[in-house]
């Protein structure tokens, strides 16, 4: 391996092998060597770009950050391997013996040290080091400087063969690793199945059949996902503890079993992200199995000066908001009759009815009662998203019914104010007609009584040509959704949704 060209190629391929080996044993968890690098990518990318990626691209944003993290990590290992081989080759006398054990040993040490530095877990470190070393050993037997075929072309052909080999190893590692990634160690308690089923029945009875839009309950794999992670945390229910700390008479902790043994109820609740565009789809409703936060706080007896809390999570996320909102909040461990999925905060997340998604902290670990208000994660970046949601009527579907009539429809949401009316204008906003609304979900089955979206639809016969359809909602307090337009940053989008149809 004394040729600089093949040294670089072998270093890069061994770097890839190291990352693949780590993935094979860790899967998409924080002990995967690329996870901290992905987090670094997110942390060092300008806030505006991060906000755009996670809000506009959603899962794709998370995937991009992850891919960048993987590419960077392969690069880091490649550099470490290259230096290791350079040093070992220089020290390895002039003998023409095949690289022997010095080169592979140097790679083992370099890869191991780097992996340990990144994730400090034995399994992932060993897997990375073994994979990289194994690959270098293989390469050193395949590419020999003394080989009669050691011409430039011969080496190239062999490097290509090695690349295919390492790629195959990558595929196998991917398959192995993917099986490690679900990360849940509890099942949903069957005791609550009947409650979930009853709410499914209620929603099915009340939803309007509107083509092309979700029903009243979003399915888990369609429920939007927004967070700061390129790899979500894996928290075991067995290890989960919620601490109530700070300005309290006595600090308290709560385990998962204590939580699930609490005053459990199952109810609907809608979430909406402050960063979403006016008519986008970061708005969903689910059936959550929860316990109230208030009794847990009461036991600790909060006595802070600011009447505010900082809630922290296993991914390093933190949000500060009023104690009063927290006291009306819930800790959720079930979603649509399953344990909370990993991407939505397994094992436990916060639900704060009526407030923007950002304070509905996932993977929650700590509630600190503060004496003085300090900014949370998004407020440090200029957002103003800890308060109640803005009122919105979405226009998510336009259908030509084929008999001269057209139908428009969507969902409307106003947090705990509830939706009272949705109005449609087909003359650009001069005159308004009430749309048909889905029956409200029974307040006893909704967190915050009215914190659930409603569906609306409107059918009419538009004239030939272009028609501008405008929609707006009126909340339960009689306030009309404001006409004034604003983009999401920093207070959430505002204005009426408009669509032009041509007949
Ligand atoms: N721990 C943690 N909780 C979090 C976030 C996060 O990045 N980390 N993102 C918040 C934001 S901005 C939103 S909109 C909601 C989205 O919840 P969902 O992904 O379950 O839809 O989670 C909130 N909770
Ligand atoms: Mo959000």
């Amino acid at each position: 391996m004394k040729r600089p060209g093949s040294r670089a190629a072998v270093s890069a391929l061994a770097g890839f092998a190291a990352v693949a080996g780590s993935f094979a044993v860790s899967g998409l968890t924080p002990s995967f060597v690329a996870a901290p690098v992905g987090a670094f990518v997110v942390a060092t990318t300008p806030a505006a770009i991060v906000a755009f990626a996670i809000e506009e691209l959603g899962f794709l944003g998370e995937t991009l950050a992850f891919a960048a993290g993987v590419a960077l990590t392969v690069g880091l290992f490649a550099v470490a391997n290259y230096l290791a081989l350079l040093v070992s080759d220089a020290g390895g006398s002039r003998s023409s013996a095949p690289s022997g054990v010095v080169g592979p040993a140097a790679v083992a040490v370099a890869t191991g040290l780097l992996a340990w530095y990144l994730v400090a877990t034995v399994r992932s470190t060993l897997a990375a080091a073994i994979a990289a070393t194994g690959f270098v050993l293989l390469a050193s037997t395949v590419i020999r400087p003394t080989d009669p075929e050691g011409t430039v072309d011969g080496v190239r052909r062999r490097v290509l063969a090695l690349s295919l080999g390492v790629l195959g190893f990558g595929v196998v590692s991917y398959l192995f690793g993917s099986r490690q990634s679900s990360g849940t160690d509890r099942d949903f308690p069957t005791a609550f199945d009947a409650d979930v089923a009853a709410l499914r029945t209620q929603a099915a009875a009340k939803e309007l059949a509107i083509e092309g839009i979700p029903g009243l309950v979003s399915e888990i794999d369609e429920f939007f996902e927004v967070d700061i992670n390129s790899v979500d945390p894996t928290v075991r229910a067995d290890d989960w503890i919620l601490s109530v700390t700070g300005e309290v008479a006595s600090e308290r902790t709560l385990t998962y079993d204590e939580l699930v043994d609490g005053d459990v109820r199952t109810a609907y609740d809608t979430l909406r992200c402050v960063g979403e565009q006016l008519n986008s789809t970061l708005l969903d409703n689910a059936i959550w199995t929860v316990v109230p936060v208030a009794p847990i706080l009461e036991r600790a007896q909060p006595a802070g000066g600011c009447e505010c809390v900082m809630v922290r999570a296993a991914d390093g996320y933190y949000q500060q908001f009023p104690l009063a909102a927290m006291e009306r909040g819930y800790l959720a461990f079930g979603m649509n009759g399953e344990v909370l999925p990993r991407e939505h905060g397994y094992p436990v997340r916060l639900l704060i009815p009526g407030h923007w998604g950002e304070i509905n902290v996932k993977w929650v670990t700590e509630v600190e009662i503060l004496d003085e208000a300090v900014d949370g994660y998004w407020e440090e970046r200029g957002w103003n998203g800890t308060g109640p949601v803005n009122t919105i009527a979405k226009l998510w579907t336009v259908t030509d019914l084929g008999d001269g009539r057209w139908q428009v429809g969507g969902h409307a949401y106003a947090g705990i104010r509830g939706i009272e009316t949705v109005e449609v204008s087909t003359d650009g906003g001069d005159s308004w007609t009430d749309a048909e609304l889905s029956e409200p979900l029974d307040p006893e089955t909704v967190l915050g009584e009215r914190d659930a979206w409603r569906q609306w639809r409107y059918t009419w016969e538009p004239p030939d040509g272009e028609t501008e359809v405008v929609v707006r909602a009126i909340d339960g307090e009689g306030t009309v959704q404001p006409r004034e337009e604003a983009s999401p940053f920093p207070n959430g989008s505002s204005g009426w949704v408009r669509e032009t149809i041509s007949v």
Side-chain angles (χ1 to χ4, degrees), residues 303-335:
C306 64
E307 292 291 309
C308 66
V309 296
M310 179 71 85
V311 177
R312 295 199 176 80
D315 57 347
Y317 187 72
Y318 48 95
Q319 283 297 158
Q320 183 269 118
F321 54 93
L323 178 62
M326 185 68 182
E327 284 168 342
R328 289 193 292 266
Y330 296 86
L331 290 163
F333 62 90
M335 184 178 186

Side-chain angles (χ1 to χ4, degrees), residues 16-29 31-34 66 70 123-124 127-128 169-181 231:
F16 183 90
V19 174
S22 163
F23 189 84
V25 301
S26 301
L28 213 48
T29 68
S31 55
F32 174 41
V33 288
F66 178 72
V70 169
R123 264 160 60 89
S124 200
F169 178 64
V171 170
V172 173
S173 299
Y174 178 79
L175 295 177
F176 263 92
S178 302
R179 294 171 30 194
Q180 324 274 329
S181 306
V231 175

Side-chain angles (χ1 to χ4, degrees), residues 55 224 226 272-276 282 317 356-359 378:
E55 277 135 16
F224 79 92
V226 169
R272 182 183 178 203
C273 181
V274 67
E276 72 152 1
L282 301 187
Y317 187 72
W356 292 111
E358 65 166 56
I359 66 168
W378 285 116

Side-chain angles (χ1 to χ4, degrees), residues 15 18-19 33 36-37 72-81 107-121 124-125 128-129:
V19 174
V33 288
V37 184
L72 251 178
T73 312
V74 169
L76 282 177
F77 279 102
V79 168
N81 293 337
V107 165
V109 171
T111 302
L113 285 177
L114 180 56
W116 184 260
Y117 170 75
L118 287 172
V119 291
T121 63
S124 200
T125 298

Side-chain angles (χ1 to χ4, degrees), residues 244-257:
V244 184
T245 65
E247 305 296 319
V248 289
S250 66
E251 299 207 339
R252 292 288 171 148
T253 57
L254 185 81
T255 65
Y256 189 83
D257 290 329

